[in-house]
Amino acid sequence: MSRLIMGPAGAVILTICLVLPALSSELTPWPPRDPGQPEASIAITKAWVTALRETRDFASLQRAAGAGGKLLAVETDPETPRAIYGWRGHDGRGQMKVFLYRTGDFGITATPADGAGEISMNNSGAFVCPSCSPPVDACGRRPSWVSHSVHWDGSDCHCTITGPQTLRPGPC
């Protein structure tokens, strides 16, 4: 019977090899494929977008839309690569753009067909709907794409609700 003898360096390497795959929660393959389904099976309305508020994963969002979306672009910023998907509502009623990150997190900007103005949200619980009654302006939890070096409060979250953006003094 053989015995495994290793020093501290070997133990560190073994730990890294065993732990890193378990910690990886990134989407594979990357970049994601294009489903080529830009028309949702529903109209994109304020009520429908509001119902997405509890959606936490991209596949659930696609099921809710009744279509996979259209891959519009893949941004390869090494710090925060993202894929941008687009949908238009059934019969051209409303539109939605989704920013999907390697981690599986996403942000949404939607322009509902019923003239509600733009609604922004993400899968971390942020939801901004100025035309809702009453208006909603919720930051939610800190999304994975927001660095912990950024102070996370009501003024910062609006600059980063759908993804990384440069924070600067005043409105972003």
Side-chain angles (χ1 to χ4, degrees):
M1 177 181 226
S2 64
R3 296 175 67 195
L4 177 63
I5 301 173
M6 77 176 78
V12 169
I13 291 170
L14 180 62
T15 301
I16 290 171
C17 290
L18 293 174
V19 172
L20 280 183
L23 293 177
S24 176
S25 61
E26 294 187 346
L27 295 175
T28 54
W30 190 264
R33 68 176 185 80
D34 180 4
Q37 301 171 335
E39 185 166 344
S41 64
I42 46 79
I44 297 175
T45 63
K46 180 169 62 172
W48 183 79
V49 174
T50 301
L52 293 177
R53 205 167 168 185
E54 297 302 316
T55 303
R56 298 292 179 246
D57 64 86
F58 188 65
S60 295
L61 176 100
Q62 290 174 306
R63 281 191 299 278
K70 172 75 177 147
L71 183 62
L72 303 174
V74 175
E75 296 178 352
T76 57
D77 178 319
E79 189 175 331
T80 53
R82 65 185 184 177
I84 303 172
Y85 287 84
W87 284 260
R88 57 181 184 275
H90 184 66
D91 290 335
R93 296 180 307 201
Q95 59 186 352
M96 175 173 69
K97 192 179 284 188
V98 176
F99 306 91
L100 177 65
Y101 296 87
R102 277 189 93 131
T103 60
D105 290 318
F106 59 86
I108 299 171
T109 59
T111 306
D114 47 4
E118 188 171 272
I119 298 174
S120 299
M121 61 186 295
N122 63 36
N123 69 315
S124 294
F127 188 81
V128 177
C129 180
S131 65
C132 287
S133 183
V136 181
D137 192 0
C139 286
R141 300 175 311 281
R142 178 189 299 268
S144 66
W145 59 78
V146 176
S147 165
H148 284 276
S149 64
V150 172
H151 180 68
W152 183 247
D153 66 14
S155 61
D156 295 338
C157 80
H158 302 291
C159 297
T160 59
I161 192 168
T162 58
Q165 296 177 27
T166 303
L167 293 174
R168 50 189 179 274
C172 49

